[in-house]
Amino acid sequence: MAHFDENAKPFSHKWMNERLAVDTLKRVLSTEYWIPKNINFLWAMGMVLAATFGVLLISGIFLLMYYQPNVNLAFDSVNYTIMSEVGYGWLWRHIHGVGASIVFLIIYIHMFTGIYYGSYKRGRELIWLSGMLLFVLFSAEAFSGYMLPWGQMSYWAGMVITNLFSGGGLHADFLVEWIRGDYVPGQAFLNRFFMLHVLLVPLAIIGVIVLHFGTLRIPHVNNQDGEEFDFEEAAEQYKAGNVKESKVIPFNPVFLSKDVFVMGIYFILFFYLVFYHFEFAMDPVNFDPADPLKTPAHIYPEWYFLWSYEILRPFSTNVGLIAFAIAQVIFFTLPFLDRSPNVAPASRRGLFKYWFWALLIDMIVLTFMGKLPPEGAWSTIGLIAALTFMALWIALPIITAKEKKL
Amino acid sequence: MKELKIFGIVAVFTLVLYWGVEPFAHSQMHKHVEGDNFQYSDLKPVAAKGDAAKGEALAAACVGCHSINAKNMPAPMDAVASAQAYGVNPPDLSLAGKMLDDKFFVHFLLNPAEVTKSKHFAMPPSAGSEQDAADIVAYFKSIAPKEATPKEAYEFACGRCHANRYDKWTQIGDVPKTKSNIKTGVDLAALDFKKNLGVYQNKLADYMGKLPPDLSIIIRARNEHFLHTLIENPQSQLPGTAMPRVGLTKEGTEEVMAYLEKTGDPSKEARGQVGPWVLAFFFIFTFLAYGWKKAMWKGHH
């Protein structure tokens, strides 16, 4: 047993310290959590994501109070009850809808920042892997949430995505039926996705966010130059008052003040979209109630899945499924395929510089083609872009192995 | 400066991405249909000048099927019986002179099936000559009220085929307020209404090929241009559709759209009111955060 001061008043600073180590916690988690000084606003995306996740969680809880997970009631509970009858229901829904879409934009910026600056390399592999795990969980969360309003696109997207589990030529239809709990998406399917969306997946996300933060603690955050330095030495320098010479700053309050400023700008954009441009995040087709007898003219996923959808589409069923499966996991392997010894921004890294921009542009082209009807020239462009995607990943270990040490 | 450059690059890629998946993709997925701005240019101009007094006598024939509530002339049959006779309930004609385009109305009376582009249109040709038709139109214009509410416009133009459940509107009228029997929990009046509606809808579905969709939230499912051109000429957007061309004027269409917006996008006004306050809050928040950042980073570079 530790020593307890008998005279300490309940809930006084000393009393709390003896029981919860609040001073130590504050030091370890904020005032002496050292962040490199040389980082730009792109490093604030982590906090922007955390804030957006919080907004999604809170708005989701409000929507949950009135949503009905029933195939006959779901559509109207979302589009009528929440939008018309619940005070400010429309605001919660628009926040949730816009948040679900914009969170992926920030995730992609966050990911490409990591790729550009080499933040997945040497010592930081687990940061990358836990981050990719979060990406997969967010994808599952977004997909299961998209089912819930039970609109036309919800229904048909559910049909198409679960069909993938038949494994094409394998004809594993039993697996598809097992997942759906029926031959087609129905009540059992909706119940399952409802549970996944509001409980299991968010719980897993919260857990992995904690893990993701934990993985940062020892290798520390990367910086704009990929520079490696002694954090402890720099911290001593900072604490001694040489704040100008030191390469680090405390997370709280110095870096936090920048995080909060970036979040302010982000929330201006976010709420502009919520009030004046929410329709970008809500596909019009999904405002038609689910109709199992009528296929929409074009079935496409939300914008953040389009690139991987387009890797599936231009090939024959089996080849497409294999390509799609590879696309889903290939980013996990990045720290191991990149064989260069350098942790540096792409601009200083020989051929990798071209690789980075080629990947980014290729994924944007795939995204465009994923939404367009697969006809004529677009099919061809889609096929070339999908092959380019594969080629880029095959080329990665080769071009990075040749890289000279900086 | 460097951060602004990075921000610029992120912004450009984001906007290109947005352009590709929203405006560009949608322009490619839906063929553009040029509207006629409610001119009904395919119909010949009408030379005859209408005479309302002569029209009144001719319009007496209309009440064989239609009601004219503005003149206290009831319909000979109720909605359900009408649907059993004709497939659909004929509209009340009080608003016809206000809602319908004059030229369309004249040609419609002469040859309904051709003008509506609906082969099996229930109404037979109802005027002997262009002069007679012009007289009838003049009469309906003379009795039409100055103002129609959006709901009246909807009821006249769409409401006998399309329900609007978010406004509790059915093809046979508003859902009545009824009460269940306190001892049994059964609401017989509601069941009666449901049964009548069911009979009507079955007849309507036989007549149209399928039950026309509920329009509660159509304003969000289709864009404004689509709805305008669809109302103006259903065949232009949905070739082969059973929906007849109803011949609304531009103003009549705006009234119908106002109603659709009220039921499908009821928060529009509230968004306009709340939005500026929330944005103002975040502008001030960001301004203060910038000041805090300045203060915190002082002496760090």
Side-chain angles (χ1 to χ4, degrees):
Chain A
M1 265 273 279
H3 290 290
F4 292 95
D5 183 349
E6 287 179 18
N7 299 321
K9 288 213 169 65
F11 301 104
S12 65
H13 185 81
K14 188 166 192 193
W15 190 89
M16 287 299 284
N17 240 347
E18 283 173 346
R19 285 158 182 77
L20 261 182
V22 284
D23 281 353
T24 312
L25 270 179
K26 194 177 163 196
R27 209 173 60 237
V28 171
L29 294 179
S30 71
T31 56
E32 291 186 22
Y33 172 35
W34 303 103
I35 305 281
K37 189 190 284 175
N38 180 25
I39 59 180
N40 59 46
F41 78 92
L42 289 171
W43 270 269
M45 293 304 133
M47 283 300 277
V48 168
L49 281 172
T52 311
F53 181 67
V55 165
L56 282 166
L57 203 64
I58 293 166
S59 56
I61 287 168
F62 279 99
L63 296 177
L64 186 52
M65 293 174 190
Y66 299 96
Y67 172 74
Q68 301 284 335
N70 176 304
V71 290
N72 297 316
L73 306 175
F75 185 86
D76 286 349
S77 74
V78 173
N79 288 304
Y80 179 68
T81 310
I82 290 172
M83 295 300 283
S84 308
E85 297 208 314
V86 175
Y88 290 97
W90 57 269
L91 181 58
W92 293 117
R93 188 189 179 199
H94 287 170
I95 286 175
H96 203 71
V98 169
S101 196
I102 214 78
V103 82
F104 276 91
L105 175 66
I106 308 294
I107 287 176
Y108 282 125
I109 294 173
H110 196 54
M111 267 172 74
F112 276 95
T113 304
I115 300 176
Y116 185 84
Y117 292 104
S119 305
Y120 51 87
K121 291 174 68 72
R122 198 165 64 223
R124 298 198 178 91
E125 294 91 337
L126 282 178
I127 306 178
W128 179 260
L129 290 175
S130 59
M132 281 310 301
L133 193 57
L134 274 176
F135 177 76
V136 171
L137 288 172
F138 267 93
S139 301
E141 182 68 1
F143 177 68
S144 56
Y146 196 53
M147 292 299 105
L148 302 188
W150 214 241
Q152 259 297 63
M153 209 54 120
S154 297
Y155 185 90
W156 288 96
M159 185 79 95
V160 170
I161 298 299
T162 45
N163 264 338
L164 295 181
F165 289 91
S166 70
L170 294 177
H171 289 292
D173 299 329
F174 64 93
L175 189 60
V176 179
E177 282 155 27
W178 182 71
I179 291 168
R180 290 178 185 160
D182 201 341
Y183 299 108
V184 290
Q187 186 61 53
F189 179 92
L190 180 57
N191 280 353
R192 289 167 187 198
F193 278 77
F194 175 62
M195 185 285 290
L196 287 175
H197 186 70
V198 304
L199 180 70
L200 190 55
V201 182
L203 217 54
I205 286 177
I206 292 168
V208 180
I209 286 176
V210 173
L211 173 67
H212 192 56
F213 286 175
T215 56
L216 273 163
R217 191 67 218 202
I218 290 168
H220 281 279
V221 169
N222 189 19
N223 56 70
Q224 259 193 118
D225 297 315
E227 191 185 347
E228 213 175 322
F229 54 81
D230 189 332
F231 271 82
E232 283 181 29
E233 198 181 294
E236 288 310 318
Q237 214 181 356
Y238 188 92
K239 284 199 277 188
N242 300 326
V243 295
K244 199 168 179 177
E245 291 75 32
S246 175
K247 287 181 187 290
V248 295
I249 47 173
F251 172 72
N252 181 15
V254 182
F255 192 70
L256 189 64
S257 67
K258 188 168 177 171
D259 263 352
V260 170
F261 169 60
V262 175
M263 272 193 266
I265 292 177
Y266 166 73
F267 276 120
I268 291 174
L269 169 74
F270 185 91
F271 281 101
Y272 162 74
L273 294 173
V274 165
F275 287 106
Y276 302 105
H277 206 48
F278 54 84
E279 72 280 2
F280 93 96
M282 295 184 177
D283 196 277
V285 179
N286 225 25
F287 287 104
D288 285 329
D291 183 350
L293 299 176
K294 193 178 144 207
T295 321
H298 307 291
I299 301 178
Y300 46 83
E302 287 290 270
W303 71 267
Y304 36 85
F305 295 140
L306 287 169
W307 68 269
S308 63
Y309 182 60
E310 187 58 19
I311 287 173
L312 168 80
R313 211 167 53 161
F315 302 104
S316 66
T317 316
N318 289 333
V319 178
L321 275 175
I322 293 166
F324 181 71
I326 292 172
Q328 301 313 302
V329 296
I330 198 73
F331 277 91
F332 279 93
T333 65
L334 180 62
F336 312 105
L337 291 183
D338 182 344
R339 292 160 69 195
S340 144
N342 301 315
V343 179
S347 60
R348 294 192 212 143
R349 283 185 53 191
L351 286 175
F352 183 80
K353 173 165 79 179
Y354 304 106
W355 188 87
F356 174 84
W357 293 108
L359 179 72
L360 180 59
I361 290 164
D362 190 52
M363 282 177 71
I364 290 178
V365 172
L366 283 168
T367 300
F368 284 15
M369 297 308 135
K371 190 151 182 179
L372 292 169
E375 302 157 350
W378 290 326
S379 294
T380 318
I381 297 171
L383 178 66
I384 294 168
L387 292 171
T388 309
F389 183 84
M390 292 297 162
L392 281 170
W393 287 95
I394 294 167
L396 182 65
I398 304 164
I399 62 166
T400 49
K402 283 186 182 161
E403 216 173 281
K404 288 193 186 66
K405 180 132 179 73
L406 287 171
Chain B
M1 253 2 262
K2 194 169 179 196
E3 295 211 41
L4 275 181
K5 194 177 117 192
I6 298 170
F7 182 75
I9 293 169
V10 174
V12 166
F13 275 107
T14 305
L15 289 173
V16 168
L17 193 62
Y18 169 76
W19 173 81
V21 294
E22 283 295 311
F24 180 67
H26 286 285
S27 77
Q28 297 300 312
M29 282 188 290
H30 312 287
K31 64 180 174 67
H32 181 75
V33 171
E34 204 54 63
D36 182 35
N37 203 23
F38 297 94
Q39 297 300 306
Y40 299 102
S41 336
D42 59 313
L43 302 176
K44 284 198 306 280
V46 175
K49 285 265 174 285
D51 179 338
K54 282 187 193 152
E56 182 167 10
L58 292 165
C62 302
V63 289
C65 301
H66 294 268
S67 61
I68 310 177
N69 288 335
K71 288 277 165 193
N72 286 322
M73 296 189 210
M77 290 189 280
D78 68 11
V80 176
S82 294
Q84 278 167 327
Y86 315 121
V88 66
N89 182 24
D92 179 79
L93 297 178
S94 309
L95 279 180
K98 179 175 165 55
M99 294 292 293
L100 299 180
D101 177 78
D102 294 355
K103 182 166 70 171
F104 178 92
F105 201 172
V106 169
H107 287 285
F108 172 78
L109 291 168
L110 291 166
N111 193 346
E114 195 185 306
V115 177
T116 56
K117 304 187 182 183
S118 173
K119 295 276 177 299
H120 56 291
F121 200 78
M123 184 168 127
S126 305
S129 65
E130 190 176 297
Q131 185 58 53
D132 286 357
D135 291 343
I136 296 172
V137 171
Y139 167 69
F140 281 113
K141 279 174 79 82
S142 73
I143 64 163
K146 285 263 178 302
E147 296 292 327
T149 64
K151 185 166 181 170
E152 286 166 347
Y154 178 82
E155 185 183 336
F156 174 82
C158 329
R160 287 153 298 106
C161 291
H162 295 279
N164 187 311
R165 66 186 187 282
Y166 291 179
D167 195 37
K168 300 189 170 46
W169 173 263
T170 72
Q171 289 93 344
I172 58 170
D174 288 305
V175 178
K177 287 199 175 75
T178 53
K179 271 189 187 151
S180 51
N181 183 304
I182 199 153
K183 289 178 205 143
T184 62
V186 178
D187 184 345
L188 286 177
L191 291 174
D192 267 344
F193 183 79
K194 251 189 185 163
K195 185 186 148 207
N196 282 334
L197 179 61
V199 172
Y200 184 95
Q201 288 180 337
N202 278 337
K203 283 290 160 195
L204 181 63
D206 287 345
Y207 172 60
M208 298 299 285
K210 71 179 179 66
L211 188 67
D214 184 287
L215 298 184
S216 299
I217 198 166
I218 202 75
I219 197 91
R220 283 206 166 191
R222 308 284 183 276
N223 63 46
E224 203 169 316
H225 178 77
F226 178 96
L227 290 174
H228 267 123
T229 41
L230 179 80
I231 291 171
E232 184 176 84
N233 181 8
Q235 301 298 332
S236 72
Q237 291 286 5
L238 302 171
T241 181
M243 174 166 161
R245 178 161 79 155
V246 287
L248 297 190
T249 59
K250 197 170 179 198
E251 293 71 36
T253 305
E254 295 305 332
E255 291 294 326
V256 170
M257 296 289 280
Y259 177 74
L260 294 176
E261 190 171 282
K262 190 171 77 79
T263 66
D265 189 13
S267 69
K268 194 176 183 184
E269 204 182 323
R271 290 201 302 271
Q273 282 165 359
V274 181
W277 291 100
V278 174
L279 286 184
F281 171 83
F282 278 104
F283 271 108
I284 296 167
F285 177 93
T286 308
F287 181 74
L288 293 175
Y290 185 68
W292 184 38
K293 190 216 156 221
K294 273 281 195 209
M296 283 300 122
W297 283 71
K298 208 169 175 193
H300 280 68
H301 281 299

